[in-house]
Amino acid sequence: MIPLKKLFLFLFVLSVIGFSTQSVAADFAIGDWGTPKQNIIQTETRENFTPPGKQNFLVFKGELSIFKKTNIVYLFENNLLTDGYFDFLDEHILFQDYVEDYLIIQKQLSKKYELPTANEQIWHPDAQILSKDQWGSAVANDDLILKSSWHTKNSIITLQLSYQRSRIHHLLSYQSKRPEMDVTTPDDF
């Protein structure tokens, strides 16, 4: 029998990566690359938590399946959508649970987009390389970064699990392949 957590995570992944009844999936969340910022503001139904005065990004907070705390971040250049990411903020008691979440999402993305174009375990040069069942501790000690990438016609999709800013950081990012849509993540967020 499938554990309930894995079932909910599977359903979440299906919704995020576009397994829906819609005939055309958006490039990121509810928007296609080049969508005007105002359209995202009018269409997005989750609560807007964008800091005042910030022009190049929007932050919405919401629940995505089993992830009760998620930032959905839209990035803009010239008020047009260029990139976005899901920042999963839920905390686990067991570090290995973060790795399990990562591997389930990785598997579902691979089903949709085939095998990742890059699948990396990046170990700190001084770290002792641990077995897969201890990767959670390695990530929490900042000894390991897990990173997988897929390329579609319009996007580069990257799933990453790392330790940053005093916490385990789990991101699913979508970046436009169009050169005129290239921006970077805001440093002040």
Side-chain angles (χ1 to χ4, degrees), residues 129-143:
I129 296 178
L130 302 172
S131 63
K132 194 173 192 175
D133 65 334
Q134 297 178 325
W135 283 1
S137 294
V139 170
N141 289 329
D142 200 17
D143 287 336

Side-chain angles (χ1 to χ4, degrees), residues 165-184:
R165 300 180 186 164
S166 302
R167 73 172 178 93
I168 292 182
H169 204 65
H170 191 182
L171 285 180
L172 177 58
S173 67
Y174 291 72
Q175 179 182 12
S176 171
K177 279 188 173 179
R178 297 176 6 197
E180 68 274 15
M181 296 288 160
D182 190 26
V183 299
T184 58

Side-chain angles (χ1 to χ4, degrees), residues 28 84-86 156-160 171-175:
F28 173 72
Y85 60 90
F86 298 97
I156 299 169
I157 302 163
T158 304
L159 178 64
Q160 182 169 312
L171 285 180
L172 177 58
S173 67
Y174 291 72
Q175 179 182 12

